[in-house]
Amino acid sequence: MKRLIAGILMGLVILFTTGCDTQPKSYKDLLSSNSVMQHHDPSVIYVTGNFYEGSAIPFIYATTKDPSIRHYTVRITSSGGDAYGCTVMINHIAKLKRQGIKFTMIVDGKAYSAGFFLFMMGDERIMTPGSLLMIHTMEAQKVSEGKVIPEMYLPFLRYLDNNIMNQTYKVYPNVDRMLLETMLAYSGATFVNADEAVEVGLADRIEG
């Protein structure tokens, strides 16, 4: 019974955090969304547009189909999107990194929300001129949108936020955790330009 109730609540959280009309209606829709695309070089992957629950599927395929590739370059231009899809991608990257596979993350335009946490998983993190990061938590986003979050949803939102943040923080002890937590605590969004990202340790350099 407890598992059933938990499952129902998690389903409600999915509807609350993502919205029914933001999800692809079929696998064909997922492919046409072009959220994950490969370059002619199989070690280069483009992550564009918004994350969906199924966005992790083509990303996992692209990073596992050729076991000889030990270093991927991921080019990001994303406004963010579904936290569950992002969580799967981040956990997958963490697993590959434990196997010695390296990731270079490049922000071509923007890495907002879930896109920011994907960017932070890079062994090397590169901004391009004029690119932006945007940081927030799911809880802060809903508050900034004027939504009243039912008390029963808060533990689930915070669990998702903590899982993603802990994966990125533990990889980068040189990034000031207090600074990031302060930025994430703002109600709404904190935007960071390329120069600021390098200054505070979120990015290694600006290139391009």
Side-chain angles (χ1 to χ4, degrees), residues 11-158:
L12 292 173
V13 171
I14 292 173
L15 293 176
F16 179 77
T17 57
T18 61
C20 294
D21 58 352
T22 65
Q23 303 301 306
K25 296 178 175 61
S26 67
Y27 186 65
K28 182 179 179 181
D29 291 336
L30 171 64
L31 294 179
S32 66
S33 72
N34 291 326
S35 57
V36 176
M37 298 179 290
Q38 265 195 295
H39 192 262
H40 58 81
D41 178 348
S43 70
V44 179
I45 301 167
Y46 288 85
V47 177
T48 65
N50 294 331
F51 290 85
Y52 297 106
E53 282 187 51
S55 294
I57 298 172
F59 186 84
I60 291 172
Y61 175 72
T63 53
T64 54
K65 69 176 184 178
D66 186 348
S68 69
I69 298 174
R70 307 297 296 173
H71 192 150
Y72 289 95
T73 297
V74 181
R75 308 193 70 105
I76 305 168
T77 300
S78 175
S79 296
D82 183 77
Y84 298 92
C86 178
T87 298
V88 173
M89 292 172 74
I90 284 176
N91 288 339
H92 173 67
I93 292 171
K95 181 182 73 174
L96 293 181
K97 285 164 71 75
R98 290 193 295 271
Q99 298 171 12
I101 296 175
K102 303 294 185 182
F103 285 83
T104 294
M105 302 297 189
I106 303 174
V107 181
D108 281 322
K110 58 186 177 181
Y112 293 174
S113 185
F116 163 76
F117 289 109
L118 178 65
F119 173 68
M120 288 300 293
M121 291 303 292
D123 296 284
E124 188 174 29
R125 303 182 304 283
I126 301 170
M127 302 290 287
T128 55
S131 60
L132 284 173
L133 304 176
M134 187 274 280
I135 309 165
H136 71 91
T137 62
M138 293 174 63
E139 182 179 352
Q141 179 190 17
K142 298 307 172 185
V143 171
S144 72
E145 293 170 353
K147 295 180 179 178
V148 177
I149 305 174
E151 191 69 28
M152 63 190 294
Y153 294 155
L154 287 176
F156 293 100
L157 294 179
R158 290 168 182 166

Side-chain angles (χ1 to χ4, degrees), residues 83 86-87 90-91 94 113-114 116-118 120-121 134-140 156-173 175-186 202:
C86 178
T87 298
I90 284 176
N91 288 339
S113 185
F116 163 76
F117 289 109
L118 178 65
M120 288 300 293
M121 291 303 292
M134 187 274 280
I135 309 165
H136 71 91
T137 62
M138 293 174 63
E139 182 179 352
F156 293 100
L157 294 179
R158 290 168 182 166
Y159 173 80
L160 287 171
D161 285 333
N162 287 334
N163 180 60
I164 295 174
M165 287 188 286
N166 285 335
Q167 283 280 23
T168 56
Y169 290 157
K170 70 183 181 183
V171 177
Y172 302 106
V175 176
D176 189 334
R177 184 182 180 104
M178 184 176 294
L179 172 67
L180 282 179
E181 287 181 343
T182 301
M183 296 167 76
L184 287 163
Y186 279 109
L202 300 178

